[in-house]
């Protein structure tokens, strides 16, 4: 598929992506076990194949728009946080959980990358694994990790977390635990899946994503510079 102008190509990319999202959302409501993010991704690839639209061309026009919107979406996660009722919540325990998740989420993949003798840049990139893309890329820039590698690690970990969550949560009835786990482990992708579970799960996922991102953005650069990693 060839477009006469960049504007037309950009509009087509936005419409195609939104159509994939809407269809995936409808399917997720009918089939609760179906991860919405994965479905939307598959639909985008299917649409591109049907339209004979080269992925590189689609990506080139879609990326600037959605990269720009991604920052706003991350900030808008403050809305469900503001709607949360913190009265009676074990704030100290939640804070401790987030801190532990932040430390483990960065140091564990870095340690595994070191054990597998991966490059120094790759080890640094794994420090961003547990935070959402805008924050992760900012952290990667501060610690001089390769942005492309960090972006890939964040996206793949989020996709895997969102895809496996429904299976891992079998036997767990507490939506608060589900949401917090998704927000901490699978950041934005997990938060999307959490909202498909319930509003409670979505709010807790947003809490986990936001606070984990804030904590990680503070301690990881300090840790890397202090120990000269």
């Amino acid at each position: 598929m060839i477009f006469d102008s960049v504007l037309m190509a950009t509009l087509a990319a936005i419409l195609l992506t939104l159509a994939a999202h809407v269809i995936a959302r409808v399917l997720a409501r009918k089939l609760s076990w179906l991860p919405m993010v994965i479905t939307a991704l598959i639909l985008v690839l299917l649409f591109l194949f049907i339209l004979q639209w080269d992925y590189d061309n689609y990506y080139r026009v879609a990326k600037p728009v959605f990269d720009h919107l991604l920052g706003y979406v991350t900030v808008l996660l403050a809305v469900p946080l503001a709607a949360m009722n913190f009265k009676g919540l074990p704030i100290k325990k939640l804070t401790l959980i987030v801190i532990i998740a932040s430390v483990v989420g960065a140091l564990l993949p870095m340690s595994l990358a070191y054990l597998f003798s991966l490059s120094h840049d790759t080890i640094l990139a794994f420090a961003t694994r547990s935070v959402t893309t805008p924050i992760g890329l900012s952290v990667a820039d501060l610690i001089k990790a390769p942005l492309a590698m960090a972006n890939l690690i964040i996206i793949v970990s989020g996709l895997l977390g969102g895809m496996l969550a429904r299976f891992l949560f079998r036997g767990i009835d507490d939506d608060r635990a589900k949401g917090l786990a998704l927000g901490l482990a699978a950041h934005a992708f997990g938060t999307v899946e959490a909202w498909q579970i319930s509003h409670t799960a979505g709010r807790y996922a947003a809490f986990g994503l936001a606070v984990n991102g804030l904590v990680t953005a503070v301690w990881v650069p300090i840790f890397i510079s202090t120990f000269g990693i």
Side-chain angles (χ1 to χ4, degrees), residues 87-135:
K87 186 177 180 179
L89 286 180
I91 300 299
K92 291 183 179 179
K93 291 182 179 180
L94 283 176
T95 303
L96 180 61
I97 290 172
V98 172
I99 292 174
I100 293 174
S102 175
V103 173
V104 173
L107 293 185
L108 179 59
M110 289 177 70
S111 300
L112 291 174
Y114 176 79
L115 288 175
F116 282 103
S117 301
L118 299 182
S119 68
H120 178 261
D121 286 345
T122 303
I123 294 172
L124 290 179
F126 270 105
T128 65
R129 190 218 63 81
S130 64
V131 292
T132 192
T133 304
I135 300 175

Side-chain angles (χ1 to χ4, degrees), residues 130 178-188 190-191 194 201 204-210 212:
S130 64
K178 293 179 182 179
L180 186 62
L182 279 167
L184 292 173
H187 31 84
T191 302
Y204 273 80
F207 174 85
L209 180 153
N212 180 45

Side-chain angles (χ1 to χ4, degrees), residues 24-203:
R25 192 178 184 87
V26 172
L27 290 174
R29 288 179 178 176
K30 296 181 179 297
L31 304 171
S32 60
W33 53 269
L34 198 62
M36 193 183 82
V37 175
I38 305 299
T39 307
L41 176 62
I42 293 173
L43 286 172
V44 167
L45 296 176
L46 179 61
F47 291 159
L48 292 177
F49 175 76
I50 293 173
L51 296 173
Q52 293 297 297
W53 191 0
D54 184 69
Y55 176 79
D56 290 335
N57 293 332
Y58 161 80
Y59 182 77
R60 186 171 59 253
V61 294
K63 184 178 185 298
V65 176
F66 290 104
D67 277 355
H68 186 71
L69 293 176
L70 189 59
Y72 293 109
V73 171
T74 304
V75 174
L76 284 173
L77 289 172
V79 175
L81 287 179
M84 286 183 67
N85 181 11
F86 290 96
K87 186 177 180 179
L89 286 180
I91 300 299
K92 291 183 179 179
K93 291 182 179 180
L94 283 176
T95 303
L96 180 61
I97 290 172
V98 172
I99 292 174
I100 293 174
S102 175
V103 173
V104 173
L107 293 185
L108 179 59
M110 289 177 70
S111 300
L112 291 174
Y114 176 79
L115 288 175
F116 282 103
S117 301
L118 299 182
S119 68
H120 178 261
D121 286 345
T122 303
I123 294 172
L124 290 179
F126 270 105
T128 65
R129 190 218 63 81
S130 64
V131 292
T132 192
T133 304
I135 300 175
L137 293 181
S138 297
V139 172
D141 186 51
L142 287 173
I143 63 177
K144 308 304 180 185
L147 298 183
M149 177 66 72
N151 193 33
L152 176 63
I153 290 170
I154 293 169
I155 291 174
V156 171
S157 64
L159 285 172
L160 289 174
M163 181 174 61
L164 298 175
R166 300 296 179 105
F167 301 98
L168 296 176
F169 288 155
R170 289 178 178 176
I172 299 176
D173 299 322
D174 193 335
D175 284 354
R176 296 172 299 176
K178 293 179 182 179
L180 186 62
L182 279 167
L184 292 173
H187 31 84
F189 290 99
T191 302
V192 171
E193 289 303 314
W195 280 107
Q196 305 308 307
I197 296 173
S198 70
H199 289 292
T200 299
R203 291 192 183 102

